[in-house]
Each structure stands twice: as C-alpha cells, then as structure tokens.
Amino acid sequence: MKDKSKLTQAETQVMQALWSLPEEGALSSEIMERMPEPKPAPTTLLTFLKILKDKGFVTAVKMGKAQRFHAEVSKEAYMRMYMKEVKQTFFGGSFSSLVSFFAKEEKLTDDDISEILSIIEKKNS
C-alpha cells in the first residue's frame, strides 16, 4: 500500500505552486501559471490535484464548472513531517548527526555559522 503522507516529486511541484498562492486557494489555471517548465498538460495537473485530494493534502470547492483548490497541509507542516522522517531514516533520529552531516557537506560561511549559533541561542533562552 502506498504511503499517503509522502509526496512524489510531481505532487511536490503542484503543492509548491499551491503554497505560493493566496490561502483562499486557486483555480487549476492559477496553479498551472505557477508550475515550473515543462508545465504538465491541464488534464495531468487535474489528475495530480485529485491524487492530492485523496491523500488529504488538498480540498476542492466547486464553483460552477470549476473548482477552487486549497492546501489542507501547510508547507511548514509538511516540511516538519518530511524532515522528521529524514532525521529518523538517515540519522537514527539524531538531530546532532543531521546537523553534523550538513555542516560537513555544505560550504558554510562565517555569517552562516553565526546565524545558526544565534538561532540556537535564542531557542535555548
């Protein structure tokens, strides 16, 4: 059985487009405008939106012949769930291992390090 909490790359692109639009939602044509190139066919976009509805990520309100789609899961909530899974799957649930990995892999500037330390200090105070 498919994990309904995970998004495919194409579904993520649709959600990114939807998250970039106003909270009151958008028509499929408005979502299509925000899609990266190459844009999917309109029927393909509607198929992805139906899949996202089935997974609980999107709701739709009928407006005549059209539908207004609304993100039910915020970008922040999805990122939180996704990163929690990455931390658990690849780093044994260890936040310090996750941070250590990115500190080694990324070319951090002194400003980056200062900003990270400042965020940690604010969190601990």
Side-chain angles (χ1 to χ4, degrees):
M1 186 172 156
K2 260 172 114 169
D3 184 348
K4 291 190 174 223
S5 67
K6 292 183 182 174
L7 297 177
T8 65
Q9 182 178 358
E11 292 165 354
T12 301
Q13 288 178 335
V14 174
M15 288 303 297
Q16 290 283 10
L18 192 53
W19 285 323
S20 73
L21 290 159
E23 285 187 33
E24 63 268 8
L27 301 172
S28 62
S29 60
E30 296 169 315
I31 297 168
M32 181 67 83
E33 289 173 10
R34 302 288 179 110
M35 292 294 293
E37 295 291 343
K39 294 184 186 301
T43 54
T44 302
L45 176 60
L46 289 172
T47 298
F48 286 132
L49 288 164
K50 182 189 179 316
I51 291 167
L52 289 165
K53 279 175 35 182
D54 292 345
K55 288 183 171 185
F57 281 87
V58 170
T59 55
V61 176
K62 199 127 173 86
M63 299 176 57
K65 292 183 179 182
Q67 294 184 76
R68 180 165 289 283
F69 297 93
H70 178 268
E72 279 297 301
V73 176
S74 71
K75 184 176 183 176
E76 293 75 19
Y78 184 70
M79 285 184 348
R80 198 174 302 113
M81 186 272 314
Y82 185 86
M83 290 308 297
K84 191 177 284 188
E85 186 173 321
V86 167
K87 182 179 75 170
Q88 190 61 44
T89 301
F90 295 103
F91 302 99
S94 169
F95 178 73
S96 59
S97 293
L98 180 140
V99 172
S100 175
F101 171 80
F102 284 106
K104 290 174 188 170
E105 291 296 315
E106 298 293 318
K107 291 184 173 31
L108 298 175
T109 66
D110 288 342
D111 287 343
D112 291 334
I113 294 168
S114 293
E115 185 178 351
I116 292 167
L117 290 172
S118 174
I119 292 168
I120 292 169
E121 287 170 4
K122 285 179 186 173
K123 172 103 172 102
N124 289 334
S125 56

